[in-house]
Structure formats: structure tokens, C-alpha cells
């Protein structure tokens, strides 16, 4: 899925986002941590746009149901 692709790209840059859960900020995160996470997010979104990453076609997901 797009979220797994995004999270994989972020992880390769040292930022861990979980692809299936909400993302939380805690008091353990410094302003620099948050700034870096936002920078990495921007990088990953730009790269996905350049690679033309598209969401899966919802009609394709149902083709093999019940087979």
C-alpha cells in the first residue's frame, strides 16, 4: 500500500512511522526530532510523486475475492 511504501522510504532515512497506526508526538520528542520527521516526510512524499506512486485500484482488490 502507499502507506507501507511511504513508511519504508522514511525508515531508510532514519525515521520510523508505523504504516497501520496513528502517529503520535510525545514529550520524548524534541523540536529537532519533529523537524527532522517533517523534513523526511516532505522528502518521501516528493519522491513518491516523482515515481508516480499511485493508490491501488479498489476494483482490482475485489477480483480474487471468493476464488
Amino acid at each position: 500500500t502507499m502507506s507501507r511504501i511511504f513508511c519504508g522510504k522514511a525508515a531508510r532515512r532514519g525515521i520510523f512511522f508505523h504504516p497501520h497506526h496513528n502517529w503520535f508526538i510525545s514529550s520524548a520528542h524534541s523540536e529537532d526530532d519533529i523537524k527532522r520527521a517533517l523534513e523526511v516526510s516532505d522528502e518521501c512524499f516528493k519522491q513518491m510523486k516523482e515515481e508516480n506512486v499511485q493508490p491501488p485500484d479498489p476494483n482490482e482488490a475485489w477480483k480474487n475475492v471468493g476464488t
Side-chain angles (χ1 to χ4, degrees):
T1 66
M2 289 182 73
S3 62
R4 290 195 313 206
I5 294 169
F6 171 82
C7 291
K9 289 180 180 299
R12 287 190 285 283
R13 291 168 171 81
I15 301 295
F16 179 74
F17 293 116
H18 196 289
H20 302 293
H21 294 285
N22 295 330
W23 302 339
F24 298 98
I25 298 173
S26 81
S27 60
H29 296 111
S30 69
E31 278 197 45
D32 287 340
D33 293 333
I34 296 167
K35 182 179 177 182
R36 179 68 184 139
L38 292 172
E39 290 169 352
V40 166
S41 295
D42 284 343
E43 292 171 19
C44 295
F45 284 129
K46 286 177 187 175
Q47 186 178 16
M48 290 176 69
K49 183 177 180 180
E50 289 169 2
E51 295 171 357
N52 198 31
V53 175
Q54 298 291 317
D57 182 343
N59 295 317
E60 293 293 318
W62 294 103
K63 283 188 175 181
N64 295 321
V65 173
T67 59

